[in-house]
Amino acid sequence: MISKKMEKALNDQVNFELYSAYFYLSMSAHCASIGLKGFSNWFMVQYQEETFHAMKIYQFIIDRGGVVHLQAINEPEQSFASPLEMFTKTLEHEQEVTRRFNELSDLSFVEKDHASRIFLQWFVTEQIEEEANVNEAIDRLKMVGKEKSGLFMLDNEFATRTFVAPTA
Ligand code: FEO
């Protein structure tokens, strides 16, 4: 059985993951509207990942005998100045997600909740890859600068990204 404190913290994280999904869906829509189909696909995959994260926590709460409490999802930003700005905001967002999972892990220690501690390890590890992916995209966008042909090449590459649900 999960403690009320951990149940509340995990429910808050379900909400934050769903907000993250919304945030990336908004960027995907923006990219589609300015003709960057590959960038739109990159953010759509990000949206799918966040939905997967939310549902992974949702299922864990149920499996532990907790109660899922769905909360209102905040409206995400809708307009962005450039692809670089979107990826910079993505990095800031993912750093906040990392901070939150570290806090959740801290709580699992305080609560002596070993099942949650082990469960949360997956997310702590996942965040390393999440931040690395975004950092790589930022580096490449900086390299490209204002060059349209470079942006076009990156757009083609981002069009090939696909969502693969993790099995472990
Ligand atoms: Fe669910 Fe991108 O962290």
Side-chain angles (χ1 to χ4, degrees):
M1 190 73 187
I2 200 165
S3 73
K4 281 290 154 201
K5 220 169 174 178
M6 185 56 82
E7 180 189 272
K8 161 91 174 67
L10 289 172
N11 269 304
D12 288 348
Q13 191 58 28
V14 169
N15 181 266
F16 199 74
E17 296 291 337
L18 290 174
Y19 169 74
S20 304
Y22 244 37
F23 182 55
Y24 294 131
L25 190 60
S26 177
M27 291 198 207
S28 179
H30 177 77
C31 290
S33 75
I34 56 171
L36 289 173
K37 277 191 175 174
F39 280 79
S40 176
N41 176 64
W42 197 95
F43 284 112
M44 185 61 83
V45 171
Q46 202 71 8
Y47 158 80
Q48 290 171 302
E49 282 192 356
E50 301 307 344
T51 308
F52 177 86
H53 295 165
M55 293 313 295
K56 194 174 168 83
I57 304 167
Y58 166 102
Q59 193 57 50
F60 180 75
I61 296 170
I62 292 174
D63 290 347
R64 297 286 311 283
V67 176
V68 168
H69 177 82
L70 296 176
Q71 305 160 38
I73 303 165
N74 288 337
E75 184 177 327
E77 256 180 276
Q78 315 272 349
S79 65
F80 308 94
S82 66
L84 183 58
E85 190 202 64
M86 281 185 269
F87 277 92
T88 304
K89 287 191 167 172
T90 296
L91 182 61
E92 284 166 8
H93 187 80
E94 289 303 327
Q95 286 167 340
E96 170 61 15
V97 175
T98 301
R99 191 195 63 74
R100 282 170 173 259
F101 277 114
N102 287 338
E103 236 177 54
L104 281 164
S105 295
D106 289 346
L107 181 63
S108 71
F109 277 102
V110 173
E111 297 284 296
K112 297 186 168 52
D113 180 348
H114 299 292
S116 291
R117 179 178 56 77
I118 292 162
F119 172 74
L120 288 163
Q121 263 173 17
W122 185 89
F123 287 94
V124 172
T125 308
E126 171 77 2
Q127 280 310 116
I128 298 170
E129 197 189 315
E130 290 264 306
E131 287 191 32
N133 280 344
V134 184
N135 266 317
E136 191 188 314
I138 288 175
D139 285 346
R140 301 183 69 191
L141 273 166
K142 282 183 178 163
M143 247 183 267
V144 161
K146 290 193 184 344
E147 224 185 280
K148 288 265 188 295
S149 58
L151 201 62
F152 182 70
M153 260 172 57
L154 262 187
D155 195 56
N156 278 343
E157 188 186 317
F158 286 169
T160 63
R161 188 183 188 204
T162 53
F163 172 68
V164 182
T167 48

